[in-house]
Amino acid sequence: MNLSFFDQFTSPCLLGIPLILLSMLFPALLLPSPDNRWITNRLSTLQLWFCHLITKQLMLPLNKGGHKWALILTSLMMFLLTINLLGLLPYTFTPTTQLSMNMALAFPLWLATLLTGLRNQPSTSLGHLLPEGTPTPLIPALIMIETTSLLIRPLALGVRLTANLTAGHLLIQLISTATTALLPIIPTVSILTASILLLLTILEVAVAMIQAYVFVLLLSLYLQENI
């Protein structure tokens, strides 16, 4: 039974071909296609308003030099948000439960923000490794600690997203299994468990949205330190 709980996190394959690429490309089909008109229907209007709201929130802490990252950060936000929400549907696969994928997103973007800081303002970027007014005997230890905290940032980004989504999916599967098992034995408890499952599903929808926002927001904050 324990093995079946974790089977949902295994990348599905068809004829030996992993379908994770298909699940990553599918959210693009939900976005509005280019058209000669600015606004085609209410759905595209809502999507444009939502993209504008996300871009505005992400660009608030950044100066004009960081606004060139708007397309990358907004696209990443929409990508993660769509994948996380689609992964809550029955019989679907959530690519963001794979640590390898999340690290593949987090590490290059974190490295890009770091290299941007080292290129534009090397003194300020390196100055973050040593707080001002540090006693001389503590300088080597603090440099090592700050360097370690800097290097584990992409790992923290990937693990945070993976752990939150994996825990939510496991809880939903455990409670739904308990609901099905208790239905013929104790229907009253089964109905109570089903109501808990409904509340948990609503919570997981919120978690899926929040985690996508936190992932991109932290990247924008890392960018703010380096521009």
Side-chain angles (χ1 to χ4, degrees):
M1 180 177 292
N2 291 334
L3 180 62
S4 65
F5 286 151
F6 290 93
D7 282 346
Q8 60 178 318
F9 304 118
T10 304
S11 178
C13 295
L14 179 64
L15 300 177
I17 302 174
L19 299 181
I20 186 172
L21 296 177
L22 181 62
S23 61
M24 291 173 61
L25 295 175
F26 180 75
L29 301 178
L30 302 178
L31 300 177
S33 57
D35 197 282
N36 293 330
R37 293 175 294 178
W38 280 99
I39 298 176
T40 55
N41 51 37
R42 290 186 178 91
L43 179 59
S44 63
T45 305
L46 183 62
Q47 288 176 330
L48 288 173
W49 171 81
F50 188 63
C51 289
H52 178 266
L53 179 64
I54 291 175
T55 306
K56 182 179 179 181
Q57 292 297 322
L58 292 177
M59 294 297 108
L60 275 178
L62 301 178
N63 55 25
K64 290 185 178 180
H67 290 179
K68 63 182 69 175
W69 287 68
L71 179 60
I72 297 177
L73 296 179
T74 304
S75 302
L76 179 63
M77 174 72 183
M78 296 299 295
F79 175 72
L80 292 176
L81 182 62
T82 311
I83 284 184
N84 292 350
L85 293 178
L86 289 177
L88 294 173
L89 297 175
Y91 303 104
T92 56
F93 172 70
T94 313
T96 44
T97 56
Q98 306 295 312
L99 182 60
S100 56
M101 174 186 164
N102 296 333
M103 289 299 298
L105 292 173
F107 184 77
L109 291 173
W110 165 82
L111 185 60
T113 60
L114 182 63
L115 293 179
T116 300
L118 292 176
R119 184 189 65 179
N120 296 335
Q121 45 182 16
S123 299
T124 305
S125 298
L126 294 176
H128 291 156
L129 300 179
L130 184 62
E132 187 177 355
T134 304
T136 305
L138 297 180
I139 288 179
L142 279 178
I143 290 178
M144 294 179 61
I145 293 172
E146 292 296 331
T147 304
T148 304
S149 65
L150 178 66
L151 295 178
I152 65 173
R153 281 181 174 181
L155 181 62
L157 282 175
V159 170
R160 181 187 295 108
L161 182 59
T162 304
N164 281 282
L165 295 180
T166 302
H169 283 65
L170 282 176
L171 278 175
I172 289 177
Q173 185 167 0
L174 285 170
I175 296 179
S176 60
T177 303
T179 303
T180 307
L182 291 173
L183 184 60
I185 305 173
I186 314 176
T188 306
V189 178
S190 178
I191 294 174
L192 178 61
T193 311
S195 62
I196 296 175
L197 178 62
L198 177 61
L199 296 176
L200 180 62
T201 304
I202 298 174
L203 176 64
E204 284 307 310
V205 172
V207 168
M209 299 173 66
I210 292 172
Q211 289 303 316
Y213 177 70
V214 168
F215 188 93
V216 182
L217 179 63
L218 288 176
L219 280 175
S220 67
L221 293 178
Y222 297 158
L223 179 62
Q224 180 188 6
E225 293 180 359
N226 292 284
I227 59 174

